Amino acid sequence: MSSNAGLQVLIFLVALLALALPLGAYMARVFSGEATLAQRVLGPIERGIYRLAGVREDEDMPWHRYAGAVLVFNLAGALVVYGLQRAQRWLPLNPANMGAVSPEVSFNTAVSFATNTNWQAYSGETSMSFLTQMLALTVQNFVSAATGIAVLIALMRGFTRREATGLGSFWVDLTKATLYVLVPLSFALALVLVSEGVVQTFTPSVSATWIEAGATGARAQSIALGPAASQIAIKQLGTNGGGFFNANAAHPFENPTPLSNFVQLLAIVLIPASLCFTFGRQVKDRRQGWALLGAMLVIFVPLVFATIAAEQAGNPNLTALGVDPSASAMSSGGNMEGKETRFGITQSALWATATTAASNGSVNAMHDSFTPLGGVAPLWLMQLGEIVFGGVGSGLYGMLVYAIIAVFIAGLMVGRTPEFLGKKIEAYEMKMASLVILLPSAAVLIGTAIACLVPEGARAVANPGPHGFTEILYAFSSGANNNGSAFGGLTVNGRFYSTAIGLCMLIGRYWVIVPVLAIAGSLAKKKSIPPSSGTLPTHTPLFVGLLVATIVLVGALTFLPALALGPVVEHLSLAGR
């Protein structure tokens, strides 16, 4: 791997930390009611929303009411998205006269955007009207991301409150996350993207004339346009990932320049990284936030470099034919299949690992064209549960669940009742934490097994053999862990995959949120235990190592057999062994 690649990764990480620190502090002030300047500007809008919705700002919901509000709100959103897709042919802002979306794809899309997955079994520019893109999909990009932040804030209150029954109000947390965090950041990012050439217009298309080499006449091509920048901003900041165009962030109208690529790449992981610092401030120990972010980086950085190295090594079959895989001033070398030349190998590999680490799902290269080992890191990052950065809010509460498990393991080692941030970790918390880990993993493996057995699942594979198995495994890993990216090469708009992956998305989102809120409610009721000589410090490098080991061990034991059947076999076959 070249020094240039290392420098690009270093610049990305430095810029991320420089932005995440102040943003994390700002979000802590927002949810503590201390963001005075923002409240002076946006406070009247916030209070107006509460009056219109009949919400009491001081409402304090127990965990089961908080969970019920989450489920009801998300169900209502999914129904609206489904209805708009089915009725779009009769609705305004449909200049291309697009018809109704099929029932199975409408179901899949409604579930996808409500769960913050943004898996797309359709082509955006040829399937969705402007109204559907804006009113259905973009709105869900905001509120699904805000839902994740709200659940995380409720879990934080579980750690900080003592002998309490309430976790705050979901409606208030949802409003604050949207109004004070997601909307301002998205507005600023959209302006930057427009300045770089991302389209934002209600003009449906333009006609371009091109001359084919050797042809005698000109040919016309219709190029789709639309209000893309506003959706792309929140799709990245909210770790949503659904593209306005089918080619997603590889499309020149979504991501035209290296600068727009870098800005969007930062946006993907910015809020998840910042929330680590928000957590440290909320629990009154900033070292806790640094420890959690450190664990994320310990896993993320080596996988980034491994992916870059695998892609830079190129395809051994082409090397045997005399193709030089080394980078030079005239060539990026390596495996450039499925990648945009304006981004190259390093930015494509960095995006692939960032988007799968952060539960974003947007792509600027075709993951299906990565080398077998280059595709392992994105696949495994999803299978870990989308906790290395992860989704907005959901990544950190998933990481906190792993921290609870790590503390419990440490307690067993020394024969003490485990404690985390002054709260005893007992049988109930461990049962709920087990559900968070086991249910999405079961959905991935069982869904993949069924897809390989049923005829419709097998027929949808364009590349039989180990690569085709990897495509199926990737699809269910993406759905059940609410990522939304795809390996490609798999036809997923049929009834089987639309339904099966839709169910996996529901399991991966709500069968995690409910146990997490149950943990929060249980912790909030407990007394605070002062630290003693037997308390395991959870801010030290030792605990970071224990946490990383727990995550890697669980991920390896759960998915290594499946990975061996897919990318590992394919790599050995490619290498001729």
Side-chain angles (χ1 to χ4, degrees), residues 46-59 61 169-173 175:
E46 180 188 7
R47 291 187 291 273
I49 292 172
Y50 297 151
R51 284 195 295 271
L52 287 173
V55 171
R56 289 191 298 106
E57 193 170 357
D58 60 349
E59 186 177 12
M61 297 178 172
S169 169
F170 168 69
W171 309 113
V172 172
D173 294 336
T175 303

Side-chain angles (χ1 to χ4, degrees), residues 400-446:
L400 287 169
V401 168
Y402 267 105
I404 289 172
I405 295 173
V407 166
F408 184 79
I409 293 171
L412 293 178
M413 289 179 179
V414 299
R416 285 179 55 89
T417 301
E419 306 166 13
F420 187 37
L421 298 176
K423 299 295 183 75
K424 284 186 177 181
I425 305 300
E426 298 174 300
Y428 182 79
E429 288 79 26
M430 288 307 301
K431 290 176 183 177
M432 295 299 105
S434 298
L435 291 176
V436 171
I437 303 301
L438 293 175
L439 289 174
S441 300
V444 172
L445 296 175
I446 294 172

